[in-house]
Amino acid sequence: MEIATYLNDQRQRVEDQLAALMLKPAGDFSQHIESMRYSLFVGGKRIRPILCLAGAEAVDSGEATRQRALSVACALECIHTYSLIHDDLPAMDDDDLRRGKPTNHTVFGEAAAILAGDGLLTFAFDLLSSQASADINDAARIRIIQTIARAAGPLGMVGGQSLDMIYEGQQVGYEMLRTIHRSKTGALITASVLSGAMVAGASAEQETALKTYGDNIGLAFQIVDDLLDVEATTEQLGKPAGSDLKSDKVTYPSLFGKETSRTMAREAVQEAIAALAAFDHQADPLRNLANFIVDRKK
Amino acid sequence: MEIATYLNDQRQRVEDQLAALMLKPAGDFSQHIESMRYSLFVGGKRIRPILCLAGAEAVDSGEATRQRALSVACALECIHTYSLIHDDLPAMDDDDLRRGKPTNHTVFGEAAAILAGDGLLTFAFDLLSSQASADINDAARIRIIQTIARAAGPLGMVGGQSLDMIYEGQQVGYEMLRTIHRSKTGALITASVLSGAMVAGASAEQETALKTYGDNIGLAFQIVDDLLDVEATTEQLGKPAGSDLKSDKVTYPSLFGKETSRTMAREAVQEAIAALAAFDHQADPLRNLANFIVDRKK
């Protein structure tokens, strides 16, 4: 299947399920719910939930498993969206534009944006423990919650954003650059693939292979992000291009040059695909996603 | 047992377990971990974790259950602490003082404080799904996670804070005042008692009774909070007294006067205790806690 078609189909499944599961603006909490929905439904590639679905499919492509993975996929997108809302805040990166639209705090104000993020993060764990995911067995659910909480928490995504703030404007070395990327972006990407695999009842060996896959596409994803910031236009990105250069940020292209960075991204994708050697054609979506990540234009 | 002794003992158990379970400042994430620890260990009454322990004890006072409830108690305190950090932010209540100490953002800066809150919230769900709480059976853990996530989320605590921001400085009616309190403070208090009871394997009837208990002490707690703001000194409170009056906030005393407010608090406590009729002496800590909440001086 064409990767574009696959991505469109899966994105649609995620959008539909998000629409079904997300709180509706009614009653006393309407304004708060609107602010969460604004950022959740403003668009985006839905890469993390799609990785979750593809991770499940690689282990078991049966329809029941595909359905079961959807609530986990939605929880991951809630967490990703919360992180974008908080990253964009005036006290953090102070960005006005995200996905081509005004950021949450420019529309709803700073207090509401902080709470929209808090609400989405908490709602993600609600989804993972509610009726929405009741058809995943309890032991797997606990492991999925643990995997996602660990990846999103102080030693993962939040910790990575904290490092990003601490070292802002400083010339960090490659070691720290890797640590920041691994925690800020890589951890949740790996958790997305793994949590999908857990829904499908992956073996320990399968989980290890998928962790290697996730870590490598996470790395490739970040390198390509850095490259796009140099090479793409603001219109293509839906956010200001060239912002890394302007803020004198250490990136892969600034450390290694564009050509070497692109080679590093390609090698990471090859390692990711190599890690899938024991999987049959059911892992083709994961293989295609790896190639998509390095070839994408935005 | 004297309630003061009981509270001291239980608080010590919570402090010890928090110290054991909380991340230690080491490695790349030290600064982030320090910022979380600052607010988590700055003091406080630890009412929510103690309610969780007392809720468990009411159902089963065996040592194993008492131990099992500790990780849940710690998760609740992480969530409560995160909510205080975010509430104090410049974009929210803009408070400089909390528990007699500088607030998180005045010490670590706004970005770090937002992330300290995010980290504590996420870490709470880590605790509930990690080895720390592995001796609670999986089905109960899922229900506990659901109960806490629902209470802390968009229709609970976060939603309540959102309403509090939206109606700031406006003369809301009693209905809205109740809705704000129920969601902002009441929901997590009830969830604290209930999640402890779930650790202990409470029956449906016991859970219903404990929900009534929790809802009523939550109400009493809020009324007394409002009364203390009028009656106590800044030194006693560890935060500016009289701040509700200054901000022209609608409170129980402003709506009903001090005497009626105190009567309402007492009645709520009586209802809370009445709900415990089917429990034996094991629920005495809950009974004493209810009286403590209405009699407290800070």
Side-chain angles (χ1 to χ4, degrees):
Chain A
M1 192 195 284
E2 273 279 327
I3 180 70
T5 312
Y6 177 82
L7 287 174
N8 269 333
D9 289 355
Q10 298 299 84
R11 188 167 56 230
Q12 197 54 57
R13 290 181 67 210
V14 171
E15 304 278 353
D16 291 349
Q17 192 70 6
L18 275 175
L21 292 178
M22 187 57 199
L23 298 166
K24 310 294 179 291
D28 292 320
F29 303 105
S30 286
Q31 283 190 51
H32 175 52
I33 293 170
E34 286 289 10
S35 70
M36 290 188 288
R37 294 178 63 94
Y38 172 78
S39 292
L40 194 60
F41 294 117
V42 81
K45 298 181 286 289
R46 312 298 191 191
I47 289 283
R48 289 155 193 80
I50 294 174
L51 281 169
C52 171
L53 298 179
E57 204 177 336
V59 176
D60 172 9
S61 62
E63 186 52 29
T65 292
R66 284 165 46 89
Q67 277 302 321
R68 272 186 206 112
L70 271 171
S71 60
V72 180
C74 290
L76 287 161
E77 189 65 10
C78 287
I79 291 178
H80 175 58
T81 303
Y82 122 73
S83 77
L84 299 182
I85 296 173
H86 281 193
D87 285 6
D88 288 338
L89 285 167
M92 304 267 203
D93 298 344
D94 197 13
D95 280 322
D96 293 339
L97 212 58
R98 165 78 68 180
R99 294 171 176 170
K101 299 272 171 59
T103 47
N104 197 289
H105 64 91
T106 59
V107 178
F108 299 95
E110 213 175 321
I114 294 168
L115 294 170
D118 293 347
L120 282 167
L121 171 56
T122 315
F123 187 66
F125 291 103
D126 186 330
L127 281 180
L128 295 170
S129 58
S130 75
Q131 277 304 316
S133 53
D135 48 5
I136 305 170
N137 80 64
D138 287 344
R141 278 167 110 180
I142 293 286
R143 289 194 67 221
I144 289 165
I145 292 169
Q146 168 64 198
T147 301
I148 294 175
R150 190 63 53 98
L155 306 181
M157 191 177 71
V158 180
Q161 174 65 8
S162 159
L163 290 178
D164 210 13
M165 290 285 104
I166 291 167
Y167 290 105
E168 199 186 3
Q170 292 183 42
Q171 293 294 308
V172 299
Y174 179 57
E175 277 290 304
M176 184 47 72
L177 183 72
R178 279 293 280 144
T179 301
I180 294 174
H181 288 163
R182 272 204 185 105
S183 47
K184 183 177 169 171
T185 336
L188 195 65
I189 285 178
T190 299
S192 299
V193 183
L194 274 180
S195 59
M198 288 171 183
V199 171
S203 67
E205 292 74 24
Q206 287 177 317
E207 283 187 16
T208 305
L210 291 172
K211 190 182 177 314
T212 305
Y213 168 87
D215 291 346
N216 276 288
I217 60 161
L219 171 60
F221 191 85
Q222 189 60 56
I223 299 174
V224 172
D225 239 31
D226 287 356
L227 281 165
L228 286 172
D229 188 75
V230 189
E231 294 173 348
T233 65
T234 297
E235 209 179 351
Q236 282 174 315
L237 293 181
K239 61 183 179 185
S243 62
D244 292 345
L245 258 176
K246 216 163 49 191
S247 63
D248 210 25
K249 202 171 182 175
V250 177
T251 64
Y252 282 89
S254 79
L255 279 178
F256 301 104
K258 287 199 268 183
E259 271 322 294
T260 306
S261 297
R262 189 150 291 282
T263 305
M264 290 170 79
R266 291 232 165 81
E267 283 172 0
V269 163
Q270 280 161 12
E271 272 200 56
I273 292 173
L276 302 177
F279 288 85
D280 64 9
H281 68 279
Q282 288 177 196
D284 281 350
L286 285 180
R287 296 184 183 99
N288 293 335
L289 274 162
N291 284 315
F292 166 77
I293 277 169
V294 74
D295 292 333
R296 74 202 163 96
K297 297 283 174 270
K298 64 173 188 173
Chain B
M1 192 193 287
E2 273 278 329
I3 181 70
T5 313
Y6 176 82
L7 287 174
N8 268 333
D9 289 354
Q10 297 299 83
R11 189 168 54 231
Q12 197 53 57
R13 291 181 67 211
V14 171
E15 303 278 353
D16 290 349
Q17 192 70 6
L18 275 175
L21 293 178
M22 188 55 199
L23 299 166
K24 309 294 179 294
D28 293 319
F29 303 105
S30 286
Q31 282 191 51
H32 176 51
I33 292 169
E34 286 289 11
S35 69
M36 290 188 289
R37 293 177 65 92
Y38 172 78
S39 293
L40 194 60
F41 293 116
V42 83
K45 298 180 286 288
R46 313 298 191 190
I47 290 283
R48 288 155 195 82
I50 293 174
L51 281 169
C52 171
L53 298 178
E57 203 176 337
V59 175
D60 172 10
S61 62
E63 186 52 29
T65 291
R66 284 165 45 88
Q67 277 301 322
R68 274 187 203 111
L70 271 172
S71 59
V72 179
C74 289
L76 287 161
E77 188 65 10
C78 287
I79 290 177
H80 175 57
T81 303
Y82 121 76
S83 77
L84 299 182
I85 297 173
H86 281 194
D87 284 7
D88 288 338
L89 285 168
M92 305 266 204
D93 297 345
D94 196 13
D95 280 322
D96 293 340
L97 212 57
R98 164 78 68 180
R99 293 169 176 171
K101 299 272 171 58
T103 46
N104 197 290
H105 64 91
T106 59
V107 177
F108 298 95
E110 213 176 320
I114 295 168
L115 294 170
D118 293 347
L120 283 166
L121 171 57
T122 315
F123 187 66
F125 291 103
D126 187 330
L127 282 180
L128 295 170
S129 58
S130 74
Q131 277 304 315
S133 53
D135 47 5
I136 305 170
N137 80 62
D138 287 343
R141 279 167 108 181
I142 293 286
R143 288 194 69 221
I144 289 164
I145 292 169
Q146 168 63 198
T147 301
I148 294 175
R150 191 61 55 97
L155 305 181
M157 189 177 71
V158 180
Q161 174 65 8
S162 158
L163 289 178
D164 210 12
M165 291 285 104
I166 291 167
Y167 290 104
E168 199 185 4
Q170 292 182 43
Q171 292 295 308
V172 299
Y174 179 56
E175 277 289 304
M176 183 49 70
L177 184 72
R178 278 294 279 145
T179 301
I180 294 174
H181 289 164
R182 273 205 185 105
S183 47
K184 184 177 168 171
T185 336
L188 195 65
I189 285 178
T190 300
S192 299
V193 184
L194 274 181
S195 59
M198 287 172 185
V199 171
S203 67
E205 292 72 25
Q206 287 177 316
E207 284 186 15
T208 304
L210 291 172
K211 190 182 177 314
T212 304
Y213 168 87
D215 290 346
N216 276 289
I217 61 161
L219 170 60
F221 190 86
Q222 188 62 53
I223 298 174
V224 173
D225 238 32
D226 287 356
L227 280 165
L228 286 172
D229 188 76
V230 190
E231 294 173 348
T233 65
T234 297
E235 209 178 353
Q236 282 173 312
L237 292 181
K239 61 183 178 185
S243 62
D244 293 343
L245 258 177
K246 215 164 48 191
S247 62
D248 210 24
K249 204 172 181 173
V250 177
T251 64
Y252 281 89
S254 79
L255 279 178
F256 302 102
K258 287 198 267 183
E259 271 322 294
T260 307
S261 297
R262 190 152 289 282
T263 306
M264 289 170 81
R266 292 231 165 82
E267 283 173 359
V269 163
Q270 280 161 12
E271 271 200 58
I273 292 171
L276 302 177
F279 288 85
D280 64 10
H281 69 279
Q282 289 177 194
D284 281 350
L286 285 180
R287 296 184 182 98
N288 293 335
L289 274 162
N291 285 316
F292 165 77
I293 278 169
V294 76
D295 292 333
R296 73 202 164 97
K297 296 283 174 270
K298 64 173 187 173

